[in-house]
């Protein structure tokens, strides 16, 4: 695997950090696009139908839930703003249209309204985002004068905060530098590309704040260093600075991390399934509707393939293999048999190029991924999902969970017929540890960033990959 410095890793992670949720600009960014989608629909509906019937309100709730909160866009290049808006809207519109056909109500709203809504929405979104971008400096001025921050402790989370402040054009907080008790030479190596000063030791903070304007103190000290933290807090009581404590949660990559409460006691989520509550219902409904529609539409193909498998070699049509599913529990996964053997023991040899066990008909099925089609039955059974980390044979799981850190985190969700790793090139044989490590990293990245739109994107990209020659499938 290519080596990356701690600084560059932290800067990459910082792109997802929201520093000030009370920031007016952040709030406007999160709501402007979902609001434009809804208001455009309402405006067209009233213009065409002279009324706003209940179906429009239902569609509005569905679309708003899919798109809120909106992604940050004003801080990127104009071309990327337009591209991101168009792609995002195409995915959202596809979900709504697919929902209407899946529920057998393709005409639940006026066709003229839909046609105008489809092309006018991205236009108004682009106008709204560029308008917000133009007024961003004035909005920041409305929030008051520039604020100045210092960071106590130079580690991953401290560097991430500094990177977010440095790389964001639209914020009114400037990071003055770090305080840390280590030597300047060691700290300079960790800073990497960041343009911040080492201002002194942690014990110098109170004196520095007496001589300079400091509005915010980010405390990024190790949690085991409690005496030093308590001492610094006592010293800062004589100031009016806002103080934020950054627990060293970057000791582990967060999966759906958030802050919550248990009987009033604050807790920080480190690892959690993204499919809790309403998100779980949305995910399951998508799986049921998509897999049911797929099985009905491809039933003739399933029959033809069944005959082909039966005629190609002796053995069962369906190959059943034990895999690990949700919460690491064993499940039985269905595939069309493509080999002359049906291995499911303590040792399972992955298929390789020119593998003599693969039948001629099986090679065609594997090349086109048609052998995976019976897994839509697994989805209906609740064992699998349409999109998720691909399930590995139990024998492979027992091997890799011992040598790849965080391997089992991928089992916090149902395995998928296709996945984020597969559409990014990690499909087929994982003949090296690096390849499996990369596949696991993509799986965890999927858990961290899941959204309904991401699932739709993966499905569409999977279809596009199947329509062209796939070199990794054999």
């Amino acid at each position: 695997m290519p080596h990356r410095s701690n600084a560059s890793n932290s800067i990459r992670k910082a792109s997802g950090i929201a520093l000030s949720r009370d920031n007016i600009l952040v709030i406007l960014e999160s709501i402007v696009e979902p609001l434009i989608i809804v208001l455009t629909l309402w405006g067209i509906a009233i213009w065409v139908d002279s009324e706003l019937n209940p179906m429009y309100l239902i569609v509005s709730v569905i679309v708003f839930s899919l798109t809120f909160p909106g992604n940050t866009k004003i801080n990127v290049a104009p071309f990327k703003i337009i591209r991101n808006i168009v792609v995002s809207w195409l995915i959202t519109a596809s979900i709504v249209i697919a929902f209407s056909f899946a529920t057998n109500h393709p005409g639940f709203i006026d066709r003229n309204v839909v046609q105008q809504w489809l092309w006018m929405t991205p236009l108004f979104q682009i106008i709204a985002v560029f308008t917000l971008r133009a007024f961003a400096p004035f909005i920041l001025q409305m929030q008051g004068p520039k604020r100045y921050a210092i960071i106590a402790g130079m580690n991953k989370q401290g560097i991430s905060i500094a990177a977010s402040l440095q790389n964001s054009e639209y914020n009114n907080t400037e990071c003055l530098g770090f305080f840390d008790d280590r030597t300047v030479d060691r700290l300079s190596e960790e800073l990497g590309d960041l343009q911040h000063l080492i201002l002194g030791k942690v014990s110098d903070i109170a004196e520095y704040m007496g001589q300079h304007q400091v509005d915010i103190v980010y405390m990024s000290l190790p949690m085991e260093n409690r005496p030093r933290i308590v001492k610094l807090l006592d010293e800062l009581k004589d100031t009016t600075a806002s103080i934020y404590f950054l627990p060293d949660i970057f000791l582990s990559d967060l999966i759906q991390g958030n802050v919550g409460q248990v009987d009033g006691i604050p807790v920080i989520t480190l690892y959690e399934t993204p499919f809790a509550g309403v998100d779980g219902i949305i995910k399951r409904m998508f799986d049921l509707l998509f897999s049911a529609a797929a099985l009905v539409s491809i039933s003739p193909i399933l029959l033809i393939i069944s005959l082909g498998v039966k005629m190609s070699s002796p053995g069962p049509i369906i190959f059943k293999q034990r895999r690990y599913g949700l919460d690491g529990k064993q499940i039985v996964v269905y595939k069309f048999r493509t080999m002359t053997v049906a291995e499911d023991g303590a040792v399972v040899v992955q298929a390789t190029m020119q593998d003599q066990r693969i039948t001629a008909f099986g090679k065609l099925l594997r090349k086109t991924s048609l052998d995976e089609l019976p897994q839509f039955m697994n989805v209906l059974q609740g064992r699998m999902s349409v999109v998720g980390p691909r399930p590995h044979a139990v024998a492979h799981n027992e091997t890799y969970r011992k040598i790849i850190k965080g391997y089992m985190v991928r089992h916090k969700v149902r395995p998928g017929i296709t996945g984020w790793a597969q559409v990014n090139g990690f499909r087929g044989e994982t003949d090296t540890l690096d390849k499996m490590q990369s596949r696991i990293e993509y799986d965890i990245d999927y858990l961290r960033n899941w959204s309904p739109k991401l699932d739709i994107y993966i499905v569409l990209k999977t279809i596009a990959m199947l329509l062209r020659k796939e070199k990794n499938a054999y």
Side-chain angles (χ1 to χ4, degrees):
M1 295 294 291
H3 176 72
R4 294 186 291 258
S5 67
N6 288 337
S8 62
N9 274 331
S10 298
I11 292 172
R12 177 175 56 84
K13 292 176 182 176
S15 62
I17 292 178
L19 292 175
S20 304
R21 298 317 300 174
D22 59 341
N23 188 318
I24 297 175
L25 195 57
V26 172
I27 296 173
L28 290 175
E29 273 194 285
S30 67
I31 201 172
V32 63
E33 289 184 70
L35 197 59
I36 288 295
I37 294 174
V38 171
L39 293 179
T40 303
L41 175 60
W42 290 2
I44 296 173
I46 293 173
W47 177 265
V48 174
D49 295 341
S50 301
E51 62 176 353
L52 197 62
N53 66 53
M55 287 306 302
Y56 292 113
L57 298 179
I58 294 173
V59 173
S60 299
V61 171
I62 294 173
V63 173
F64 193 87
S65 65
L66 289 174
T67 56
F68 179 82
N71 297 323
T72 299
K73 289 188 174 69
I74 66 171
N75 206 30
V76 300
F79 171 75
K80 289 185 177 180
I81 291 177
I82 297 173
R83 183 194 64 187
N84 292 346
I85 288 175
V86 172
V87 171
S88 179
W89 174 240
L90 287 175
I91 294 174
T92 302
S94 299
I95 294 174
V96 175
I97 294 172
F99 174 80
S100 69
F101 279 96
T103 55
N104 201 29
H105 289 85
F108 62 92
I109 56 178
D110 190 286
R111 179 175 296 181
N112 291 329
V113 173
V114 174
Q115 290 175 347
Q116 294 185 51
W117 185 45
L118 289 178
W119 73 265
M120 291 181 69
T121 295
L123 176 63
F124 286 142
Q125 283 183 313
I126 292 170
I127 293 173
V129 171
F130 276 100
T131 301
L132 183 61
R133 181 187 176 104
F135 282 93
F138 302 101
I139 295 172
L140 290 173
Q141 289 179 10
M142 290 169 54
Q143 295 183 185
K146 177 176 286 190
R147 307 175 76 193
Y148 297 93
I150 60 172
I151 301 174
M154 179 180 288
N155 46 31
K156 289 184 178 180
Q157 62 268 26
I159 292 175
S160 294
I161 290 292
S164 291
L165 293 172
Q166 174 180 299
N167 298 331
S168 177
E169 180 182 351
Y170 301 102
N171 75 77
N172 63 343
T173 302
E174 178 182 337
C175 180
L176 298 174
F178 292 87
F179 288 85
D180 199 288
D181 290 337
R182 288 171 292 172
T183 62
V184 174
D185 291 341
R186 290 179 59 194
L187 296 175
S188 297
E189 292 179 2
E190 292 196 28
L191 267 178
D193 297 330
L194 288 176
Q195 301 169 1
H196 293 92
L197 298 174
I198 313 298
L199 301 175
K201 298 183 180 298
V202 173
S203 57
D204 299 329
I205 290 178
E207 180 182 353
Y208 180 89
M209 292 180 66
Q211 300 172 358
H212 301 80
Q213 178 186 345
V214 177
D215 304 292
I216 301 172
V217 178
Y218 291 109
M219 296 185 61
S220 186
L221 300 171
M223 288 187 286
E224 65 267 18
N225 207 331
R226 185 173 178 273
R228 186 165 59 158
I229 294 173
V230 173
K231 183 176 183 296
L232 179 57
L233 286 174
D234 285 339
E235 293 174 350
L236 295 179
K237 286 179 180 178
D238 193 37
T239 72
T240 59
S242 299
I243 302 171
Y244 298 93
F245 181 65
L246 309 176
D248 48 354
I249 53 180
F250 280 137
L251 287 172
S252 182
D253 288 332
L254 301 188
I255 305 296
Q256 298 294 320
N258 60 77
V259 178
Q261 289 188 347
V262 176
D263 287 337
I265 301 172
V267 295
I268 298 175
T269 301
L270 299 181
Y271 299 109
E272 180 56 282
T273 173
F275 308 131
V278 176
D279 287 338
I281 296 174
I282 293 173
K283 176 73 168 175
R284 186 62 184 142
M285 288 299 297
F286 173 80
D287 285 341
L288 289 172
L289 294 173
F290 188 92
S291 56
L295 284 172
V296 170
S297 61
I298 65 174
S299 54
I301 299 176
L302 296 178
L303 180 59
I304 294 171
I305 294 176
S306 298
L307 293 173
V309 172
K310 195 66 179 176
M311 296 172 62
S312 64
S313 65
I317 294 173
I318 299 297
F319 167 49
K320 300 178 182 179
Q321 189 176 50
R322 292 175 300 118
R323 305 285 176 99
Y324 277 158
L326 181 64
D327 295 326
K329 297 177 182 177
Q330 287 191 15
I331 61 173
V332 176
V333 173
Y334 306 142
K335 297 177 67 174
F336 281 120
R337 182 176 55 83
T338 58
M339 293 184 174
T340 55
V341 298
E343 296 176 340
D344 190 27
V347 177
V348 176
V349 180
Q350 280 189 313
T352 59
M353 190 174 296
Q354 307 303 327
D355 198 316
Q356 298 301 313
R357 299 171 300 167
I358 303 176
T359 66
F361 187 68
K363 180 176 290 188
L364 172 64
L365 295 181
R366 297 175 76 94
K367 198 73 174 177
T368 56
S369 292
L370 292 174
D371 61 318
E372 311 283 357
L373 293 181
Q375 289 170 25
F376 283 115
M377 290 298 300
N378 288 127
V379 176
L380 290 179
Q381 293 170 339
R383 297 176 183 174
M384 293 180 64
S385 180
V386 174
V387 180
R390 283 293 297 156
H392 299 151
V394 171
H396 295 154
N397 263 37
E398 293 303 320
T399 298
Y400 287 115
R401 69 186 299 180
K402 299 173 184 176
I403 56 179
I404 297 180
K405 185 178 179 181
Y407 180 91
M408 292 301 291
V409 173
R410 69 199 298 273
H411 294 291
K412 292 196 69 65
V413 300
R414 292 183 180 89
I417 296 177
T418 185
W420 187 228
Q422 283 64 45
V423 299
N424 279 284
F426 293 94
R427 174 174 175 251
E429 181 188 9
T430 48
D431 53 350
T432 67
L433 181 59
D434 281 356
K435 287 183 180 179
M436 182 60 79
Q437 179 76 55
S438 297
R439 177 183 284 189
I440 301 308
E441 288 179 359
Y442 274 106
D443 288 341
I444 293 176
D445 190 53
Y446 169 76
L447 301 187
R448 188 179 294 117
N449 299 292
W450 174 84
S451 69
K453 288 191 290 186
L454 179 58
D455 274 2
I456 296 294
Y457 174 78
I458 292 173
V459 169
L460 294 176
K461 191 168 183 180
T462 299
I463 294 172
M465 289 174 63
L466 295 178
L467 294 177
R468 64 176 184 266
K469 187 176 180 181
E470 181 54 60
K471 64 180 181 179
N472 292 331
Y474 40 82

